[in-house]
């Protein structure tokens, strides 16, 4: 199917809804009516909450580029961002902006109003202009992470106008993982310098710029303030413009970590110009466009655009009425190219601008990434269904072994298999399934799958089932080939990374109310996929006890065996094992026999290790 | 794409179209005295029923915001998606008005008479008489054509009709291959066909204005200084704004937009559920007729045709969009004389820029699109609608290799089991596509697929059920039928039932085993009624050869369970003779 560029269409859609207009109306009110904390307005089913651009900054330093880890600086407030994976940078946000939010968050009026709104309204829109926009984002993030995920609750949306950047790339990624990417919508005026400011190293003029804007906002409220308006000299403006432009250029190219700004966009961005608007969600492309659009501006326009949202919003909201005329040549025949050309026209970038080619490339890149992600997801679903038969063959193999006369069960039949066609086939399937899942993990790592892939029930369940069915075979193969003698025991030294990842998916999944009722029959598959690994370790301990002369170490081994025995009998009592575990000739039953035998030899030291019985919680 | 006559494209004689138009407008003028008019003419082979429109707000919206409701499934059993079993939505006010019309007027008996006289039946309506014509035609199709009582399809011809139903409504008509009997004429700048894209809150005043402006009895008939009226302007702006939301939302989806925002915002605002159905013929106002039958494309055109160019932004324009609703008769007369008809079948290749086209065909299409006032953006959207349609056909072709399904009969050894799972995989893929409406609308009515689905279900589903209960999965998740029955069986069963015009759930013989397994776990006294029902069904299925006699063998679960039932029950059972004693 031919691709289409939809960034302009999406912006048109949003501008034709009441959300944009109503949000700005309330922001404007918050700015001009000298609102202290926030204002609330209800329109139909939707409640809007706006935060003013003028903030009583006090001690908070919103001018620097310092950022702090969200998990520690605001402990317990943003619960969704508390855990983070090793090796990844923690979620960081701008220190000054967070401080402003926390000051508000700690007021009684904010808490009371929020709980009232959550109870009363179906949909909440947080909005704000300039610094107010950042407060709106933080409020929305806080509410999203504190609302229960499972129950049907309030829908939360956030629209900012000319808001400064808020957090780092980890924040952006965490938001995508939670599937909140669609809840944030940042409107940016064509050359507005404020959303771009934090990409530049701090400049001495930034505090000045800040007081300039504060006074301009205040001048809208009373004539008295108008007289006190702070002025920026032309030299200052020029200096600022070039510093920010240079900083953005570097970041849009991907400079070394040292020079890179710690800030990164999240959610969607709507760029507004005199000619239209476009909306995108690819962060890399957003940074590029922030740069390329600024490059077509001037020191004056970049300062003034921050105060022109009234015009931008007004124009966007009436755009639907008029036919979009297209002036950039007329010879385009490809739908895709035409869509790109229309989008660029709306972004105010003309074909004769030097940055035209670059802008075109970044739009194309964003489009391809989006399409590829969806395509990969669809293709993977088909692949998964192709791999189901391989898994089913293993299942049948299991049923065959479990019912076979030698009563060894599935694990031991595979471990002690002789060269047979059936065994070989199952072994091949084991390989192919491993390859498939490794490919999935690789694609996920390289960002080629949808952001919430690891939350899709299909894959969470599929991987769990795969793990329960096939990991016992992996363990069997490991001990069959004597790998444990070379590398050590399976669980600690031989377990593939993929199984650990699947453990995590399974643990993080949204759990329903099921699976608490007791089983009336043995499980289809042993619920701990490492069960056989533990059996092998326990049996190894038994062998070692015989030759171990050191009393201390001997005791330790016995303790380990004892713990395993308790764990295993607990599993069996709850019927959480499959029937191959209790097959007459299974490794587990061998262990039981060996252990009984050993215990009878241990009679001279009766029950010395009973004291460890309470320590059973050491086994998972 | 061009050079054809309206009569050839629609299958309806042009004089008949004109006559319908005249009658429709006349009917509208007679309201409220008469609900519809029908001129009896013995010699004629046609029977034209023309319905009156109304401007009463209550006849347009039953409640806020859009006044839609589920269609009456007993009267319109075809108006749903089969597999998903999603019932179509219809405007409640229109549907109630039609019900009343059926009860209070002699329509039903006059139609019956026309049928017995073997006449070609045509339903027509202008303005809100249009929905009556559409509903009457569907009522006719369900009552006479589907049960094969009368083979001559009726026509519904509307002029400036508001939208009636949602996308399922339109999907169902296309699936039954009825879409072409619904012909809708729309003046490029007539605002009425767009009204339903806006909520009642923003159109109530406008409807009153329309009433004053169009009703000949009103003092201000066609003389209201509507071009300068603030209320008229507000009405136009709000209809356009809402139409823009609906159209751009549809366009984003057609273009494959992947931004999560689209989904989030849709949950914050309510978009009109109404969609066009059947064939649309747009009158450009200068004698051209543009014909389209892709519902997505029509929806987009309804919005884009009404967009302004800078020079049009004046009072006359506003007056024009009100007047356009009243000129159908003269406009049609002229257009049908000129026969300048452009049938846009191939949306993918329409020219993008307004001055393109060296070859004659492209230039003709181009000039028609120019006359409709379509910008490059609008043309891109139309192309996207065309691409989606093409993609649906492609999807259908891709799964068309049903050779794979042919050898699904013997299913005992290891490899046959693998094969079966692969087939189940393909079926699942098809079901997913159906769920997302990614296959052509007619797919669920295709005979070969209904048959394949039936065979597959009968062979494989009993094994699935055995497996389910064998592993006691019912203890984990609940009964098979309620919790675990895969779509590939549920959907295909509904296809079969729809094709045979049977009630939903009436042919569940493949799930016989699931029912047996469920009953087996419960004491007889609790499930007595269910046992009786199962026995009756079993009797019929065995008699009709739908269920194999192997279920009656001594060692079958069914026989063992049945034998354990109380003696008193067994002696009176209808299947006692099968099972002997």
């Amino acid at each position: 199917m031919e691709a289409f560029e939809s960034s302009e269409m999406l912006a048109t859609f949003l501008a034709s809804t009441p959300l944009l207009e109503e949000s700005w109306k309330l922001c404007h009110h918050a700015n001009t009516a000298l609102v202290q904390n926030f204002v609330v307005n209800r329109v139909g089913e939707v409640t809007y909450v706006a935060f003013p651009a003028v903030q009583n900054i006090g001690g908070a330093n919103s001018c620097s580029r310092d950022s702090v880890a969200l998990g520690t600086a605001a402990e317990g407030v943003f619960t969704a961002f508390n855990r983070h994976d090793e090796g990844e940078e923690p979620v960081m946000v701008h220190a000054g902006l967070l401080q402003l939010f926390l000051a508000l968050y700690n007021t009684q009026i904010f808490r009371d109003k929020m709980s009232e709104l959550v109870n009363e309204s179906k949909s909440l829109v947080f909005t704000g202009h300039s610094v107010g926009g950042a407060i709106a984002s933080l409020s929305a993030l806080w509410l999203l992470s504190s609302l229960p995920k499972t129950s049907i609750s309030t829908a939360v949306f956030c629209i900012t106008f000319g808001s400064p950047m808020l957090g780092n790339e980890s924040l952006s990624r965490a938001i995508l993982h939670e599937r909140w990417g669609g809840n944030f919508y940042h409107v940016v005026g064509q050359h507005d310098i404020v959303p771009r400011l934090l990409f530049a190293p701090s400049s001495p003029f930034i505090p000045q710029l800040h007081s300039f804007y504060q006074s301009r906002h205040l001048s809208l409220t009373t004539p008295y303030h108008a007289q006190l308006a702070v002025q920026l000299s032309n030299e200052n403006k020029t200096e600022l413009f070039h510093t920010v432009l240079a900083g953005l250029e570097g970041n849009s190219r991907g400079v070394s970590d040292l020079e890179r700004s710690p800030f990164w966009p999240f959610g969607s961005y709507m760029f507004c110009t005199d000619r239209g608007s476009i909306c995108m969600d690819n962060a890399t492309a957003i940074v590029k466009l922030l740069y390329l659009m600024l490059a077509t501006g001037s020191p004056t326009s970049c300062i003034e655009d921050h105060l022109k949202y009234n015009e931008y919003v007004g124009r966007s909201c009436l755009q639907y009425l008029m036919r979009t005329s297209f002036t950039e040549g007329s010879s385009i025949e490809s739908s895709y190219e035409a869509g790109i050309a229309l989008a660029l026209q709306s972004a105010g970038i003309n074909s004769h601008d030097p940055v035209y080619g670059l802008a075109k490339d970044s739009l194309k890149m964003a489009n391809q990434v989006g399409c590829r992600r969806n395509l990969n997801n669809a293709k993977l679903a088909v692949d998964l269904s192709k791999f189901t038969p391989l898994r089913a063959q293993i299942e049948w193999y299991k049923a065959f072994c479990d019912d076979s006369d030698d009563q060894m069960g599935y694990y031991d039949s595979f471990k002690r298999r002789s060269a047979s066609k059936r065994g070989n086939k199952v072994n091949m399937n084991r390989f192919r399934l491993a390859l498939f899942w490794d490919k999935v993990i690789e694609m996920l790592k390289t960002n080629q799958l949808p952001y919430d892939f690891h939350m899709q029930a299909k894959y969470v369940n599929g991987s769990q089932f795969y793990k329960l069915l096939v990991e016992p075979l992996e363990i069997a193969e490991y001990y069959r080939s004597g790998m444990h003698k070379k590398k050590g025991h399976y669980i600690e030294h031989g377990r593939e990374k993929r199984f650990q990842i699947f453990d995590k998916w399974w643990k993080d999944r949204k759990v329903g109310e099921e699976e608490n009722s007791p089983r009336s029959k043995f499980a289809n598959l042993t619920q701990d996929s490492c069960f056989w690994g533990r059996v092998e370790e326990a049996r190894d301990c038994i062998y070692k006890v015989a030759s171990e002369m050191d009393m201390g170490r001997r005791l330790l081994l016995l303790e380990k065996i004892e713990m395993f025995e308790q764990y295993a009998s607990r599993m069996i009592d709850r019927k959480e094992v499959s029937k191959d575990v209790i097959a007459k000739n299974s490794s587990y039953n061998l262990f039981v026999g060996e252990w009984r035998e050993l215990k009878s030899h241990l009679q001279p030291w009766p029950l010395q290790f009973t004291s460890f019985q309470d320590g059973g919680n050491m086994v998972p | 794409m061009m050079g054809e006559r309206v009569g050839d494209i629609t299958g309806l004689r042009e004089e008949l179209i004109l006559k319908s138009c005249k009658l429709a407008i006349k009917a509208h003028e007679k309201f409220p005295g008469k609900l519809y008019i029908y001129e009896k003419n013995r010699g004629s082979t046609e029977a034209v029923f023309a319905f009156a429109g109304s401007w009463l707000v209550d006849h347009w919206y039953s409640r806020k915001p859009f006044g839609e409701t589920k269609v009456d499934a007993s009267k319109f059993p075809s108006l749903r998606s089969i597999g998903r079993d999603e019932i179509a939505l219809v405007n409640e006010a229109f549907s109630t008005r039609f019900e009343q019309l059926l009860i209070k007027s002699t329509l039903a008996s006059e139609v019956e008479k026309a049928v017995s006289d073997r006449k070609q039946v045509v339903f027509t309506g202008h303005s809100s008489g249009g929905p009556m014509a559409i509903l009457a035609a569907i009522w006719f199709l369900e009552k006479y054509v589907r049960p094969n009582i009368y083979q001559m399809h009726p026509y519904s011809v509307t002029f400036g009709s508001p939208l009636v139903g949602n996308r399922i409504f339109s999907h169902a008509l296309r699936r039954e291959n009825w879409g072409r009997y619904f012909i809708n004429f729309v003046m490029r700048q007539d605002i009425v066909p767009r009204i339903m894209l806006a909520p009642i809150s923003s159109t109530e005043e406008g409807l009153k204005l329309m009433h004053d402006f169009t009703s000949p009895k009103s003092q201000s008939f066609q003389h209201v200084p509507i071009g300068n009226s603030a209320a008229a302007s507000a009405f136009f702006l709000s209809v356009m704004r809402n139409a823009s939301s609906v159209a751009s939302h549809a366009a984003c989806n057609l273009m494959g937009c992947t931004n999560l925002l689209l989904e989030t915002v849709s949950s914050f605002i309510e978009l009109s559920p109404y969609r066009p159905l059947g064939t649309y013929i747009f009158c450009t106002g200068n004698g051209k007729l543009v014909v389209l039958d892709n519902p997505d494309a029509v929806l987009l055109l309804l919005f884009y045709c009404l967009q302004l160019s800078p020079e049009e932004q004046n009072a006359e324009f506003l007056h024009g969009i009100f007047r356009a609703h009243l000129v159908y008769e003269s406009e049609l007369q002229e257009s049908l004389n000129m026969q300048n008809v452009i049938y846009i079948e191939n949306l993918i290749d329409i020219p993008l820029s307004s001055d393109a086209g060296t070859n004659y065909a492209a230039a003709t299409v181009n000039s028609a699109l120019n006359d409709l006032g379509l910008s490059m953006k609008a043309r891109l959207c139309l192309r996207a609608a065309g691409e989606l349609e093409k993609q649906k056909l492609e999807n259908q072709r891709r799964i068309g290799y049903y050779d794979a399904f042919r050898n699904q009969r013997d299913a005992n050894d290891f490899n046959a089991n693998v094969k079966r799972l692969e087939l189940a995989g393909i079926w699942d893929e098809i079901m997913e596509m159906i769920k997302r409406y990614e296959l052509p609308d007619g797919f669920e009515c295709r005979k070969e697929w209904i048959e394949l689905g039936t065979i597959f279900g009968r062979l494989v589903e009993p094994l699935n059920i055995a497996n389910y209960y064998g592993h006691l999965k019912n203890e984990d998740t609940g009964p098979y039928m309620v919790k675990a029955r895969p779509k590939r069986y549920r959907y295909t069963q509904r296809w079969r039932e729809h094709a045979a015009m049977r009630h939903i759930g009436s042919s569940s013989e493949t799930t016989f085993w699931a029912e047996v397994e469920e009953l087996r776990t419960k004491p007889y006294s609790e499930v007595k009624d269910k046992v009786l029902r199962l026995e009756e069904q079993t009797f019929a299925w065995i008699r009709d050869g739908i269920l194999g006699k192997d279920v009656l063998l001594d060692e079958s679960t069914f026989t063992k369970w049945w034998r354990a039932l109380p003696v008193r029950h067994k002696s009176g059972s209808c299947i006692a003779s099968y099972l002997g004693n």
Side-chain angles (χ1 to χ4, degrees), chain B residues 484-533:
Chain B
R485 192 173 185 215
K487 281 193 207 81
R488 55 179 177 269
Y489 306 128
R490 274 187 289 143
Y491 282 24
T492 49
Q493 180 187 335
R494 291 188 199 130
W495 295 355
R496 188 164 67 242
E497 285 160 356
H498 180 76
M501 295 186 63
R502 273 187 288 173
H503 289 299
I504 298 169
S506 62
S507 69
S508 41
E509 70 278 355
T510 50
T511 54
F512 171 80
W513 290 113
E515 187 75 27
V516 173
E517 296 281 0
E518 278 306 312
L519 293 178
R520 234 157 57 93
T521 58
K522 290 168 190 142
Y524 172 73
S525 51
E526 267 179 36
V527 291
K528 198 174 156 199
D529 295 339
K530 284 187 179 166
V531 173
L532 281 171
R533 223 191 68 212

Side-chain angles (χ1 to χ4, degrees), chain A residues 277-320:
Chain A
S277 44
I278 61 171
C279 174
M280 10 217 338
D281 65 349
N282 180 303
T284 312
I286 289 168
V287 176
K288 285 220 157 106
L289 275 172
L290 281 170
Y291 161 62
L292 297 171
M293 287 175 73
L294 185 64
T296 65
S298 69
T300 312
S301 70
C302 79
I303 305 289
E304 290 301 319
D305 270 6
H306 186 59
L307 301 165
K308 274 168 60 182
Y309 284 92
N310 214 17
E311 287 89 338
Y312 281 128
V313 174
R315 206 178 299 121
S316 299
C317 289
L318 274 177
Q319 215 142 43
Y320 65 87

Side-chain angles (χ1 to χ4, degrees), chain B residues 433-500:
Chain B
M433 285 197 274
I434 286 181
K435 212 178 116 193
R436 294 194 300 260
Y437 295 98
E438 286 172 1
L439 287 171
D441 291 318
F443 190 86
E444 293 183 295
C445 271
R446 290 185 51 165
K447 238 176 141 188
E448 69 268 34
W449 283 103
I450 298 177
E451 270 165 23
L452 283 173
T454 307
I455 298 173
F456 182 75
R458 282 188 190 154
L459 275 173
V460 181
E461 191 170 14
L463 302 178
N464 275 17
I465 296 169
N467 186 39
Y468 189 81
Y469 286 93
H471 286 138
L472 284 181
K473 285 189 189 161
N474 52 330
E475 285 188 5
D476 289 346
T477 39
Y480 173 81
M481 289 299 285
V482 186
K483 294 280 184 181
R485 192 173 185 215
K487 281 193 207 81
R488 55 179 177 269
Y489 306 128
R490 274 187 289 143
Y491 282 24
T492 49
Q493 180 187 335
R494 291 188 199 130
W495 295 355
R496 188 164 67 242
E497 285 160 356
H498 180 76

Side-chain angles (χ1 to χ4, degrees), chain A residues 12 21 323 330 333 520, chain B residues 241 245 308 353 377 383 475:
Chain A
T12 311
E21 198 175 14
R323 241 173 266 164
S330 57
E333 260 315 301
S520 72
Chain B
R241 186 181 188 141
S245 295
L308 300 174
S353 46
K377 193 168 163 184
R383 279 193 176 187
E475 285 188 5

Side-chain angles (χ1 to χ4, degrees), chain B residues 275-286:
Chain B
R275 293 293 178 272
L277 58 89
T279 304
Y280 270 71
I281 305 185
F282 285 86
C283 314
T284 58
N286 58 1

Side-chain angles (χ1 to χ4, degrees), chain A residues 1 4 9 12-14 16-17 21 157 182 268 320-323 330 333 335 374 392-393 396 520-521, chain B residues 188 241 244-245 248 259 261 264 268-269 307-308 312 353 373 377 381 383 391 417-418 421 470 472 475:
Chain A
M1 182 166 171
F4 287 89
M9 192 51 80
T12 311
F13 170 58
L14 288 158
S16 71
T17 69
E21 198 175 14
F157 196 55
S268 284
Y320 65 87
L321 206 55
M322 305 300 289
R323 241 173 266 164
S330 57
E333 260 315 301
S335 305
N374 277 16
Q393 285 176 336
W396 292 324
S520 72
K521 213 171 154 182
Chain B
R188 181 197 151 191
R241 186 181 188 141
S244 166
S245 295
S248 49
N259 196 320
L261 204 60
T264 318
F268 272 81
I269 51 160
Q307 266 190 330
L308 300 174
E312 280 174 330
S353 46
K377 193 168 163 184
C381 295
R383 279 193 176 187
Q391 184 64 40
N417 281 339
V418 175
L421 272 174
L472 284 181
E475 285 188 5

